[in-house]
Amino acid sequence: MDSISPQGLKSRPYLSIVAPCYNEQACLPEFHRRMSAAAHAAANDDFEIVLVNDGSSDGTWAVLRGLVQQDPHILALNLSRNYGHQLALTAGLQACRGENILIIDSDLQDPPELLPAMIAALNEGNDVVYGQRRQRDGESTFKRVSAALFYRVLRKLVEVNIPADTGDFRLITRRVLDELNRMPEHHRFVRGLISWIGFRQVPLLYDREPRFAGETHYPLMKMLRFAVDAVTGFSVVPLRIASFLGLALGIGSFLMLFYTLGSWATGEALSGWTSIATIMLIIGSAQLMTLGMLGEYLGRLYMESKRRPLFVISDVCCQRTEAGSMVSAALAALPH
Ligand code: UDP
Ligand code: MG
């Protein structure tokens, strides 16, 4: 497996570092400096850094190409447009070749210096070492509270054990990545998919740092969409809520029937506008809500049924051309 090509390139480096980059031109030089230092310390020269430009509108791709000129460890991928964090990450994960894979954000919120501790934990016989946030500096109270709430609700809804306060920052082994790469779904919640895979997964507590530069790319709407992807991707409980709601309202309506018929029989029936209006509003909104829930699942089913590729790569840039062609071949061979 560990063959060396005539150019001295290992087909399976010890470590791959995968980071998605969207409008991160200001963070990337510093990210590269800190990440390379950590990688050299942990893996000597036996590593690659896969950086994916997710259709940035700033100079991210130009910065990445500049970094490739300086550093033979870097492989830069350019996606044809903005596909979103999870798909950009997926592109990098499908292209990387390492035996162990570090998933990290390129904005330095996840400290690269934790790499040695993660490798040590992996070497204790684990397959996934996930960073679990002790605290989140530099993020709004709203983001902290909503994230904390989201992870707790999610854990109640899904059967898979998705740990709380955990992002995508993690070190995984090749066998985990091979399983992940077999998953064809479009609405990806990568951290949940990795939890689903199983094997031995352990946390590593850390303090999430503020962004090195720029702003979050997860405004409220995107966060909500991400949350719905997470829930619908792992649970059909919301569909059951619809049935339970229907049942509860049905029982309520049946009891109401005694009251209405009784009032009619005793001649006490009033022209009660308030109660009728209230009942109509409750039933109307319950129906719309459950239709909406059904729609979320149906929409996802529809999108998946098209079987489109997850992303399109427009350029691959690295110093070692053979690495580029290996990556292109590997990506072409994947079941999209
Ligand atoms: N990102 C991306 N595509 C996007 C949005 C974000 O590749 O459409 C990358 C971004 O460059 C960063 C990571 O995903 O490396 C996490 O994004 P961000 O820092 O905006 O999210 P937050 O940390 O605020 O949740
Ligand atoms: Mg961030």
Side-chain angles (χ1 to χ4, degrees):
M1 257 231 291
D2 215 15
S3 61
I4 308 237
S5 71
Q7 292 84 358
L9 177 80
K10 264 183 137 184
S11 63
R12 258 278 173 269
Y14 174 70
L15 178 69
S16 289
I17 292 147
V18 179
C21 315
Y22 178 57
N23 292 349
E24 302 287 10
Q25 61 174 12
C27 295
L28 280 170
E30 181 63 7
F31 171 75
H32 172 240
R33 193 188 63 73
R34 280 175 59 186
M35 193 69 253
S36 303
H40 271 291
N44 293 321
D45 214 23
D46 198 8
F47 68 93
E48 63 173 6
I49 304 181
V50 180
L51 298 169
V52 184
N53 175 35
D54 185 18
S56 300
S57 52
D58 69 354
T60 293
W61 181 238
V63 173
L64 286 182
R65 285 181 28 184
L67 289 174
V68 167
Q69 297 313 313
Q70 294 169 27
D71 184 354
H73 294 101
I74 299 184
L75 172 77
L77 302 181
N78 195 22
L79 299 189
S80 61
R81 63 171 172 84
N82 178 247
Y83 284 86
H85 176 197
Q86 300 289 296
L87 290 181
L89 175 60
T90 303
L93 289 174
Q94 294 194 348
C96 77
R97 300 163 299 128
E99 270 168 38
N100 303 294
I101 301 95
L102 177 73
I103 301 174
I104 187 167
D105 285 353
S106 53
D107 59 2
L108 288 168
Q109 284 202 274
D110 310 322
E113 293 74 21
L114 286 184
L115 180 60
M118 287 179 138
I119 291 181
L122 206 73
N123 287 341
E124 284 165 13
N126 296 304
D127 279 279
V128 176
V129 181
Y130 55 87
Q132 195 162 38
R133 299 153 185 177
R134 240 187 323 237
Q135 66 184 58
R136 308 161 73 112
D137 283 342
E139 286 183 318
S140 65
T141 317
F142 175 74
K143 179 137 191 171
R144 284 183 219 196
V145 172
S146 57
L149 198 72
F150 164 66
Y151 283 113
R152 271 145 198 95
V153 172
L154 184 67
R155 282 173 62 79
K156 288 266 176 302
L157 286 180
V158 306
E159 277 134 43
V160 178
N161 181 21
I162 301 175
D165 305 322
T166 303
D168 289 318
F169 181 40
R170 58 193 62 212
L171 183 67
I172 62 176
T173 55
R174 171 54 56 179
R175 67 172 175 166
V176 172
L177 181 59
D178 284 344
E179 294 305 327
L180 183 65
N181 283 343
R182 290 201 308 143
M183 298 182 179
E185 56 220 79
H186 279 244
H187 295 273
R188 295 174 93 78
F189 182 61
V190 171
R191 61 202 75 166
L193 295 177
I194 294 180
S195 300
W196 183 93
I197 291 169
F199 298 124
R200 289 184 55 171
Q201 311 209 0
V202 288
L204 183 86
L205 289 177
Y206 78 110
D207 297 325
R208 191 151 157 93
E209 289 173 15
R211 258 182 168 273
F212 178 74
E215 286 175 4
T216 173
H217 305 108
Y218 272 101
L220 183 63
M221 276 319 282
K222 253 190 176 176
M223 254 159 58
L224 281 178
R225 223 185 306 148
F226 190 52
V228 177
D229 275 346
V231 173
T232 53
F234 289 89
S235 169
V236 289
V237 172
L239 290 177
R240 272 186 225 137
I241 292 176
S243 322
F244 284 126
L245 203 66
L247 189 70
L249 281 174
I251 294 170
S253 318
F254 187 69
L255 296 177
M256 266 307 267
L257 208 62
F258 287 104
Y259 171 70
T260 47
L261 288 179
S263 310
W264 173 74
T266 53
E268 283 171 16
L270 298 175
S271 52
W273 173 84
T274 322
S275 54
I276 290 181
T278 313
I279 290 166
M280 272 175 57
L281 286 174
I282 292 176
I283 293 181
S285 48
Q287 278 174 338
L288 284 181
M289 201 182 81
T290 46
L291 265 182
M293 277 184 200
L294 277 175
E296 289 294 336
Y297 285 89
L298 193 67
R300 280 166 176 73
L301 211 62
Y302 171 63
M303 295 308 282
E304 296 293 349
S305 72
K306 292 174 194 274
R307 303 177 63 84
R308 287 189 188 148
L310 297 182
F311 48 79
V312 174
I313 293 179
S314 65
D315 309 271
V316 176
C317 182
C318 60
Q319 273 189 26
R320 301 175 292 193
T321 45
E322 72 280 16
S325 41
M326 269 162 66
V327 167
S328 307
L331 286 169
L334 275 163
H336 276 318

